[in-house]
Amino acid sequence: GQQLNQSPQSMFIQEGEDVSMNCTSSSIFNTWLWYKQDPGEGPVLLIALYKAGELTSNGRLTAQFGITRKDSFLNISASIPSDVGIYFCAGQPTGANSKLTFGKGITLSVRP
Amino acid sequence: ETGVTQSPTHLIKTRGQQVTLRCSSQSGHNTVSWYQQALGQGPQFIFQYYREEENGRGNFPPRFSGLQFPNYSSELNVNALELDDSALYLCASSSSGQETQYFGPGTRLLVL
């Protein structure tokens, strides 16, 4: 099935550093979401974006909905050990309750 | 507020068997979506249930079926299990008119 493009597959950063992750698609989405998944658990919603160009923050997390509606980025500032996990972007086409299309995820490791 | 719950947490079946997975939606949510997440991949949309009817389906064969009950809880049934059905099965609930989906912890199915 279709997936969004997330790369690289893994990222390794030092505690305290900032990190940015991109997500791109060949299709237009009307909603972009970023989720974090820890081992053995379901994805947890971090940030939801509903409007092209929108920039939204949630604590140390900032995400933007690309103007073309085909991309989004997530930035984590001043990383801490508990930021370790898999970060997924997901796009949702128009209409409430429509399906989510996910990227393959980026595994983030934070060195203390 | 009660979050999304799923049962069982783990399950082992053999090829050809049938399995039923269960999901209770978050309080106030009337829509349930099911996703399959293979190891190292992002979740893939199976189908969605709203008002006890299927409301959208992904690229999965008919042996994947579901139900939604009047209390909005849901079941995922898979017949004639195949080895490739081994995955984490995620349930997400949402409220009609609101796009954001919240995930449960998942059921890990292993088919031998």
Side-chain angles (χ1 to χ4, degrees):
Chain A
Q2 177 195 11
Q3 284 194 327
L4 303 180
N5 300 311
Q6 287 186 266
S7 64
Q9 193 173 354
S10 302
M11 300 181 80
F12 299 85
I13 61 173
Q14 199 75 31
E15 183 178 357
E17 288 182 341
D18 298 349
V19 62
S20 188
M21 305 175 188
N22 274 1
C23 183
T24 62
S25 170
S26 57
S27 304
I28 288 174
F29 290 106
N30 287 312
T31 301
W32 283 86
L33 305 110
W34 285 90
Y35 288 87
K36 178 175 181 270
Q37 187 173 30
D38 292 328
E41 298 185 12
V44 174
L45 181 67
L46 299 175
I47 291 182
L49 302 156
Y50 301 107
K51 190 176 176 181
E54 179 182 355
L55 185 72
T56 297
S57 294
N58 177 12
R60 293 178 298 106
L61 308 178
T62 301
Q64 184 158 29
F65 190 144
I67 289 292
T68 65
R69 292 193 284 157
K70 291 184 177 181
D71 64 325
S72 176
F73 80 77
L74 173 71
N75 187 73
I76 305 173
S77 63
S79 59
I80 59 177
S82 62
D83 289 335
V84 166
I86 305 175
Y87 289 80
F88 291 98
C89 62
Q92 195 167 27
T94 191
N97 294 323
S98 48
K99 69 174 186 179
L100 295 177
T101 298
F102 281 83
K104 286 191 173 184
I106 293 176
T107 300
L108 179 66
S109 299
V110 179
R111 289 188 292 262
Chain B
E1 185 178 275
T2 305
V4 180
T5 60
Q6 292 185 243
S7 63
T9 55
H10 296 81
L11 202 52
I12 300 175
K13 291 285 189 178
T14 56
R15 198 168 44 182
Q17 284 189 312
Q18 177 266 342
V19 68
T20 297
L21 310 181
R22 295 176 176 83
C23 171
S24 291
S25 60
Q26 183 168 313
S27 175
H29 287 180
N30 57 11
T31 303
V32 172
S33 303
W34 286 92
Y35 293 80
Q36 180 195 65
Q37 186 178 20
L39 203 60
Q41 302 292 317
Q44 295 284 320
F45 176 74
I46 303 175
F47 43 55
Q48 182 182 85
Y49 276 83
Y50 172 63
R51 289 188 174 180
E52 302 177 49
E53 290 193 0
E54 189 177 289
N55 181 42
R57 188 178 184 95
N59 189 26
F60 281 82
R63 60 189 184 83
F64 285 78
S65 63
L67 285 173
Q68 186 180 32
F69 300 98
N71 66 354
Y72 308 125
S73 66
S74 177
E75 285 183 356
L76 164 66
N77 299 290
V78 187
N79 293 323
L81 283 167
E82 299 176 1
L83 298 180
D84 285 349
D85 294 334
S86 296
L88 180 67
Y89 287 85
L90 295 163
C91 163
S93 75
S94 55
S95 179
S96 58
Q98 188 176 29
E99 288 89 351
T100 308
Q101 296 182 18
Y102 295 88
F103 284 83
T107 294
R108 185 160 298 281
L109 172 66
L110 177 61
V111 182
L112 301 175

mmCIF file with all atom_site columns, all heavy atoms in Angstrom, chain B residues 56-72:
data_model
loop_
_atom_site.group_PDB
_atom_site.id
_atom_site.type_symbol
_atom_site.label_atom_id
_atom_site.label_alt_id
_atom_site.label_comp_id
_atom_site.label_asym_id
_atom_site.label_entity_id
_atom_site.label_seq_id
_atom_site.pdbx_PDB_ins_code
_atom_site.Cartn_x
_atom_site.Cartn_y
_atom_site.Cartn_z
_atom_site.occupancy
_atom_site.B_iso_or_equiv
_atom_site.pdbx_formal_charge
_atom_site.auth_seq_id
_atom_site.auth_comp_id
_atom_site.auth_asym_id
_atom_site.auth_atom_id
_atom_site.pdbx_PDB_model_num
ATOM 1   N N   . GLY B 1 56 ? -15.280 2.356   4.774  1.00 0.00 ? 56 GLY B N   1
ATOM 2   C CA  . GLY B 1 56 ? -13.975 2.498   4.148  1.00 0.00 ? 56 GLY B CA  1
ATOM 3   C C   . GLY B 1 56 ? -13.130 1.278   4.427  1.00 0.00 ? 56 GLY B C   1
ATOM 4   O O   . GLY B 1 56 ? -13.151 0.729   5.536  1.00 0.00 ? 56 GLY B O   1
ATOM 5   N N   . ARG B 1 57 ? -12.392 0.823   3.412  1.00 0.00 ? 57 ARG B N   1
ATOM 6   C CA  . ARG B 1 57 ? -11.599 -0.387  3.513  1.00 0.00 ? 57 ARG B CA  1
ATOM 7   C C   . ARG B 1 57 ? -10.280 -0.203  2.765  1.00 0.00 ? 57 ARG B C   1
ATOM 8   O O   . ARG B 1 57 ? -10.259 0.393   1.702  1.00 0.00 ? 57 ARG B O   1
ATOM 9   C CB  . ARG B 1 57 ? -12.370 -1.571  2.934  1.00 0.00 ? 57 ARG B CB  1
ATOM 10  C CG  . ARG B 1 57 ? -11.703 -2.912  3.156  1.00 0.00 ? 57 ARG B CG  1
ATOM 11  C CD  . ARG B 1 57 ? -12.552 -4.037  2.591  1.00 0.00 ? 57 ARG B CD  1
ATOM 12  N NE  . ARG B 1 57 ? -11.939 -5.321  2.901  1.00 0.00 ? 57 ARG B NE  1
ATOM 13  C CZ  . ARG B 1 57 ? -12.247 -6.076  3.940  1.00 0.00 ? 57 ARG B CZ  1
ATOM 14  N NH1 . ARG B 1 57 ? -13.192 -5.686  4.778  1.00 0.00 ? 57 ARG B NH1 1
ATOM 15  N NH2 . ARG B 1 57 ? -11.641 -7.221  4.155  1.00 0.00 ? 57 ARG B NH2 1
ATOM 16  N N   . GLY B 1 58 ? -9.217  -0.731  3.321  1.00 0.00 ? 58 GLY B N   1
ATOM 17  C CA  . GLY B 1 58 ? -7.920  -0.705  2.660  1.00 0.00 ? 58 GLY B CA  1
ATOM 18  C C   . GLY B 1 58 ? -7.740  -1.926  1.790  1.00 0.00 ? 58 GLY B C   1
ATOM 19  O O   . GLY B 1 58 ? -8.683  -2.670  1.517  1.00 0.00 ? 58 GLY B O   1
ATOM 20  N N   . ASN B 1 59 ? -6.523  -2.177  1.353  1.00 0.00 ? 59 ASN B N   1
ATOM 21  C CA  . ASN B 1 59 ? -6.224  -3.245  0.417  1.00 0.00 ? 59 ASN B CA  1
ATOM 22  C C   . ASN B 1 59 ? -5.998  -4.568  1.153  1.00 0.00 ? 59 ASN B C   1
ATOM 23  O O   . ASN B 1 59 ? -4.895  -5.121  1.157  1.00 0.00 ? 59 ASN B O   1
ATOM 24  C CB  . ASN B 1 59 ? -4.992  -2.862  -0.408 1.00 0.00 ? 59 ASN B CB  1
ATOM 25  C CG  . ASN B 1 59 ? -4.756  -3.821  -1.548 1.00 0.00 ? 59 ASN B CG  1
ATOM 26  O OD1 . ASN B 1 59 ? -5.684  -4.449  -2.033 1.00 0.00 ? 59 ASN B OD1 1
ATOM 27  N ND2 . ASN B 1 59 ? -3.503  -3.935  -1.948 1.00 0.00 ? 59 ASN B ND2 1
ATOM 28  N N   . PHE B 1 60 ? -7.037  -5.061  1.784  1.00 0.00 ? 60 PHE B N   1
ATOM 29  C CA  . PHE B 1 60 ? -6.969  -6.336  2.511  1.00 0.00 ? 60 PHE B CA  1
ATOM 30  C C   . PHE B 1 60 ? -8.058  -7.260  1.973  1.00 0.00 ? 60 PHE B C   1
ATOM 31  O O   . PHE B 1 60 ? -9.147  -6.810  1.632  1.00 0.00 ? 60 PHE B O   1
ATOM 32  C CB  . PHE B 1 60 ? -7.159  -6.098  4.019  1.00 0.00 ? 60 PHE B CB  1
ATOM 33  C CG  . PHE B 1 60 ? -5.917  -5.594  4.696  1.00 0.00 ? 60 PHE B CG  1
ATOM 34  C CD1 . PHE B 1 60 ? -5.585  -4.253  4.643  1.00 0.00 ? 60 PHE B CD1 1
ATOM 35  C CD2 . PHE B 1 60 ? -5.070  -6.463  5.366  1.00 0.00 ? 60 PHE B CD2 1
ATOM 36  C CE1 . PHE B 1 60 ? -4.429  -3.780  5.240  1.00 0.00 ? 60 PHE B CE1 1
ATOM 37  C CE2 . PHE B 1 60 ? -3.915  -6.015  5.981  1.00 0.00 ? 60 PHE B CE2 1
ATOM 38  C CZ  . PHE B 1 60 ? -3.592  -4.668  5.914  1.00 0.00 ? 60 PHE B CZ  1
ATOM 39  N N   . PRO B 1 61 ? -7.765  -8.585  1.941  1.00 0.00 ? 61 PRO B N   1
ATOM 40  C CA  . PRO B 1 61 ? -8.732  -9.535  1.366  1.00 0.00 ? 61 PRO B CA  1
ATOM 41  C C   . PRO B 1 61 ? -9.965  -9.695  2.253  1.00 0.00 ? 61 PRO B C   1
ATOM 42  O O   . PRO B 1 61 ? -9.952  -9.317  3.431  1.00 0.00 ? 61 PRO B O   1
ATOM 43  C CB  . PRO B 1 61 ? -7.933  -10.843 1.292  1.00 0.00 ? 61 PRO B CB  1
ATOM 44  C CG  . PRO B 1 61 ? -6.876  -10.687 2.329  1.00 0.00 ? 61 PRO B CG  1
ATOM 45  C CD  . PRO B 1 61 ? -6.517  -9.233  2.362  1.00 0.00 ? 61 PRO B CD  1
ATOM 46  N N   . PRO B 1 62 ? -11.029 -10.301 1.702  1.00 0.00 ? 62 PRO B N   1
ATOM 47  C CA  . PRO B 1 62 ? -12.290 -10.454 2.441  1.00 0.00 ? 62 PRO B CA  1
ATOM 48  C C   . PRO B 1 62 ? -12.178 -11.311 3.700  1.00 0.00 ? 62 PRO B C   1
ATOM 49  O O   . PRO B 1 62 ? -13.066 -11.243 4.561  1.00 0.00 ? 62 PRO B O   1
ATOM 50  C CB  . PRO B 1 62 ? -13.219 -11.128 1.416  1.00 0.00 ? 62 PRO B CB  1
ATOM 51  C CG  . PRO B 1 62 ? -12.646 -10.771 0.100  1.00 0.00 ? 62 PRO B CG  1
ATOM 52  C CD  . PRO B 1 62 ? -11.157 -10.707 0.289  1.00 0.00 ? 62 PRO B CD  1
ATOM 53  N N   . ARG B 1 63 ? -11.120 -12.102 3.821  1.00 0.00 ? 63 ARG B N   1
ATOM 54  C CA  . ARG B 1 63 ? -11.002 -12.912 5.042  1.00 0.00 ? 63 ARG B CA  1
ATOM 55  C C   . ARG B 1 63 ? -10.712 -12.031 6.273  1.00 0.00 ? 63 ARG B C   1
ATOM 56  O O   . ARG B 1 63 ? -10.776 -12.515 7.396  1.00 0.00 ? 63 ARG B O   1
ATOM 57  C CB  . ARG B 1 63 ? -9.940  -14.004 4.864  1.00 0.00 ? 63 ARG B CB  1
ATOM 58  C CG  . ARG B 1 63 ? -8.558  -13.507 4.555  1.00 0.00 ? 63 ARG B CG  1
ATOM 59  C CD  . ARG B 1 63 ? -7.627  -14.669 4.173  1.00 0.00 ? 63 ARG B CD  1
ATOM 60  N NE  . ARG B 1 63 ? -6.274  -14.163 3.981  1.00 0.00 ? 63 ARG B NE  1
ATOM 61  C CZ  . ARG B 1 63 ? -5.435  -13.970 4.982  1.00 0.00 ? 63 ARG B CZ  1
ATOM 62  N NH1 . ARG B 1 63 ? -5.800  -14.274 6.206  1.00 0.00 ? 63 ARG B NH1 1
ATOM 63  N NH2 . ARG B 1 63 ? -4.219  -13.485 4.751  1.00 0.00 ? 63 ARG B NH2 1
ATOM 64  N N   . PHE B 1 64 ? -10.449 -10.753 6.037  1.00 0.00 ? 64 PHE B N   1
ATOM 65  C CA  . PHE B 1 64 ? -10.383 -9.770  7.121  1.00 0.00 ? 64 PHE B CA  1
ATOM 66  C C   . PHE B 1 64 ? -11.774 -9.131  7.205  1.00 0.00 ? 64 PHE B C   1
ATOM 67  O O   . PHE B 1 64 ? -12.231 -8.482  6.240  1.00 0.00 ? 64 PHE B O   1
ATOM 68  C CB  . PHE B 1 64 ? -9.347  -8.683  6.843  1.00 0.00 ? 64 PHE B CB  1
ATOM 69  C CG  . PHE B 1 64 ? -7.931  -9.118  7.031  1.00 0.00 ? 64 PHE B CG  1
ATOM 70  C CD1 . PHE B 1 64 ? -7.283  -9.890  6.074  1.00 0.00 ? 64 PHE B CD1 1
ATOM 71  C CD2 . PHE B 1 64 ? -7.211  -8.756  8.163  1.00 0.00 ? 64 PHE B CD2 1
ATOM 72  C CE1 . PHE B 1 64 ? -5.967  -10.304 6.240  1.00 0.00 ? 64 PHE B CE1 1
ATOM 73  C CE2 . PHE B 1 64 ? -5.895  -9.149  8.337  1.00 0.00 ? 64 PHE B CE2 1
ATOM 74  C CZ  . PHE B 1 64 ? -5.277  -9.921  7.379  1.00 0.00 ? 64 PHE B CZ  1
ATOM 75  N N   . SER B 1 65 ? -12.445 -9.331  8.327  1.00 0.00 ? 65 SER B N   1
ATOM 76  C CA  . SER B 1 65 ? -13.779 -8.749  8.482  1.00 0.00 ? 65 SER B CA  1
ATOM 77  C C   . SER B 1 65 ? -13.903 -8.155  9.877  1.00 0.00 ? 65 SER B C   1
ATOM 78  O O   . SER B 1 65 ? -13.071 -8.413  10.753 1.00 0.00 ? 65 SER B O   1
ATOM 79  C CB  . SER B 1 65 ? -14.861 -9.803  8.259  1.00 0.00 ? 65 SER B CB  1
ATOM 80  O OG  . SER B 1 65 ? -14.768 -10.820 9.240  1.00 0.00 ? 65 SER B OG  1
ATOM 81  N N   . GLY B 1 66 ? -14.964 -7.375  10.066 1.00 0.00 ? 66 GLY B N   1
ATOM 82  C CA  . GLY B 1 66 ? -15.105 -6.724  11.363 1.00 0.00 ? 66 GLY B CA  1
ATOM 83  C C   . GLY B 1 66 ? -16.536 -6.511  11.756 1.00 0.00 ? 66 GLY B C   1
ATOM 84  O O   . GLY B 1 66 ? -17.485 -6.788  10.986 1.00 0.00 ? 66 GLY B O   1
ATOM 85  N N   . LEU B 1 67 ? -16.698 -6.046  12.969 1.00 0.00 ? 67 LEU B N   1
ATOM 86  C CA  . LEU B 1 67 ? -18.007 -5.702  13.514 1.00 0.00 ? 67 LEU B CA  1
ATOM 87  C C   . LEU B 1 67 ? -17.833 -4.479  14.403 1.00 0.00 ? 67 LEU B C   1
ATOM 88  O O   . LEU B 1 67 ? -16.776 -4.293  15.016 1.00 0.00 ? 67 LEU B O   1
ATOM 89  C CB  . LEU B 1 67 ? -18.544 -6.848  14.377 1.00 0.00 ? 67 LEU B CB  1
ATOM 90  C CG  . LEU B 1 67 ? -19.088 -8.103  13.712 1.00 0.00 ? 67 LEU B CG  1
ATOM 91  C CD1 . LEU B 1 67 ? -19.386 -9.143  14.789 1.00 0.00 ? 67 LEU B CD1 1
ATOM 92  C CD2 . LEU B 1 67 ? -20.337 -7.799  12.907 1.00 0.00 ? 67 LEU B CD2 1
ATOM 93  N N   . GLN B 1 68 ? -18.913 -3.699  14.491 1.00 0.00 ? 68 GLN B N   1
ATOM 94  C CA  . GLN B 1 68 ? -18.966 -2.676  15.527 1.00 0.00 ? 68 GLN B CA  1
ATOM 95  C C   . GLN B 1 68 ? -20.267 -2.856  16.276 1.00 0.00 ? 68 GLN B C   1
ATOM 96  O O   . GLN B 1 68 ? -21.326 -3.116  15.677 1.00 0.00 ? 68 GLN B O   1
ATOM 97  C CB  . GLN B 1 68 ? -18.877 -1.259  14.947 1.00 0.00 ? 68 GLN B CB  1
ATOM 98  C CG  . GLN B 1 68 ? -18.778 -0.197  16.046 1.00 0.00 ? 68 GLN B CG  1
ATOM 99  C CD  . GLN B 1 68 ? -18.687 1.224   15.510 1.00 0.00 ? 68 GLN B CD  1
ATOM 100 O OE1 . GLN B 1 68 ? -19.237 1.538   14.469 1.00 0.00 ? 68 GLN B OE1 1
ATOM 101 N NE2 . GLN B 1 68 ? -17.962 2.080   16.231 1.00 0.00 ? 68 GLN B NE2 1
ATOM 102 N N   . PHE B 1 69 ? -20.230 -2.691  17.575 1.00 0.00 ? 69 PHE B N   1
ATOM 103 C CA  . PHE B 1 69 ? -21.390 -2.921  18.423 1.00 0.00 ? 69 PHE B CA  1
ATOM 104 C C   . PHE B 1 69 ? -22.032 -1.590  18.831 1.00 0.00 ? 69 PHE B C   1
ATOM 105 O O   . PHE B 1 69 ? -21.411 -0.534  18.679 1.00 0.00 ? 69 PHE B O   1
ATOM 106 C CB  . PHE B 1 69 ? -20.974 -3.732  19.645 1.00 0.00 ? 69 PHE B CB  1
ATOM 107 C CG  . PHE B 1 69 ? -20.387 -5.066  19.273 1.00 0.00 ? 69 PHE B CG  1
ATOM 108 C CD1 . PHE B 1 69 ? -19.015 -5.251  19.219 1.00 0.00 ? 69 PHE B CD1 1
ATOM 109 C CD2 . PHE B 1 69 ? -21.204 -6.143  18.940 1.00 0.00 ? 69 PHE B CD2 1
ATOM 110 C CE1 . PHE B 1 69 ? -18.463 -6.474  18.850 1.00 0.00 ? 69 PHE B CE1 1
ATOM 111 C CE2 . PHE B 1 69 ? -20.666 -7.361  18.572 1.00 0.00 ? 69 PHE B CE2 1
ATOM 112 C CZ  . PHE B 1 69 ? -19.298 -7.517  18.516 1.00 0.00 ? 69 PHE B CZ  1
ATOM 113 N N   . PRO B 1 70 ? -23.269 -1.630  19.354 1.00 0.00 ? 70 PRO B N   1
ATOM 114 C CA  . PRO B 1 70 ? -23.956 -0.383  19.720 1.00 0.00 ? 70 PRO B CA  1
ATOM 115 C C   . PRO B 1 70 ? -23.176 0.470   20.716 1.00 0.00 ? 70 PRO B C   1
ATOM 116 O O   . PRO B 1 70 ? -23.360 1.691   20.748 1.00 0.00 ? 70 PRO B O   1
ATOM 117 C CB  . PRO B 1 70 ? -25.277 -0.876  20.324 1.00 0.00 ? 70 PRO B CB  1
ATOM 118 C CG  . PRO B 1 70 ? -25.524 -2.177  19.634 1.00 0.00 ? 70 PRO B CG  1
ATOM 119 C CD  . PRO B 1 70 ? -24.168 -2.796  19.457 1.00 0.00 ? 70 PRO B CD  1
ATOM 120 N N   . ASN B 1 71 ? -22.312 -0.144  21.524 1.00 0.00 ? 71 ASN B N   1
ATOM 121 C CA  . ASN B 1 71 ? -21.513 0.662   22.469 1.00 0.00 ? 71 ASN B CA  1
ATOM 122 C C   . ASN B 1 71 ? -20.215 1.160   21.814 1.00 0.00 ? 71 ASN B C   1
ATOM 123 O O   . ASN B 1 71 ? -19.338 1.676   22.508 1.00 0.00 ? 71 ASN B O   1
ATOM 124 C CB  . ASN B 1 71 ? -21.193 -0.157  23.724 1.00 0.00 ? 71 ASN B CB  1
ATOM 125 C CG  . ASN B 1 71 ? -20.278 -1.330  23.444 1.00 0.00 ? 71 ASN B CG  1
ATOM 126 O OD1 . ASN B 1 71 ? -19.953 -1.621  22.286 1.00 0.00 ? 71 ASN B OD1 1
ATOM 127 N ND2 . ASN B 1 71 ? -19.864 -2.011  24.492 1.00 0.00 ? 71 ASN B ND2 1
ATOM 128 N N   . TYR B 1 72 ? -20.102 1.015   20.511 1.00 0.00 ? 72 TYR B N   1
ATOM 129 C CA  . TYR B 1 72 ? -18.988 1.480   19.671 1.00 0.00 ? 72 TYR B CA  1
ATOM 130 C C   . TYR B 1 72 ? -17.741 0.605   19.766 1.00 0.00 ? 72 TYR B C   1
ATOM 131 O O   . TYR B 1 72 ? -16.774 0.867   19.046 1.00 0.00 ? 72 TYR B O   1
ATOM 132 C CB  . TYR B 1 72 ? -18.617 2.941   19.940 1.00 0.00 ? 72 TYR B CB  1
ATOM 133 C CG  . TYR B 1 72 ? -19.796 3.877   19.867 1.00 0.00 ? 72 TYR B CG  1
ATOM 134 C CD1 . TYR B 1 72 ? -20.114 4.716   20.932 1.00 0.00 ? 72 TYR B CD1 1
ATOM 135 C CD2 . TYR B 1 72 ? -20.606 3.903   18.743 1.00 0.00 ? 72 TYR B CD2 1
ATOM 136 C CE1 . TYR B 1 72 ? -21.203 5.571   20.865 1.00 0.00 ? 72 TYR B CE1 1
ATOM 137 C CE2 . TYR B 1 72 ? -21.700 4.750   18.669 1.00 0.00 ? 72 TYR B CE2 1
ATOM 138 C CZ  . TYR B 1 72 ? -21.994 5.584   19.732 1.00 0.00 ? 72 TYR B CZ  1
ATOM 139 O OH  . TYR B 1 72 ? -23.077 6.428   19.667 1.00 0.00 ? 72 TYR B OH  1
#
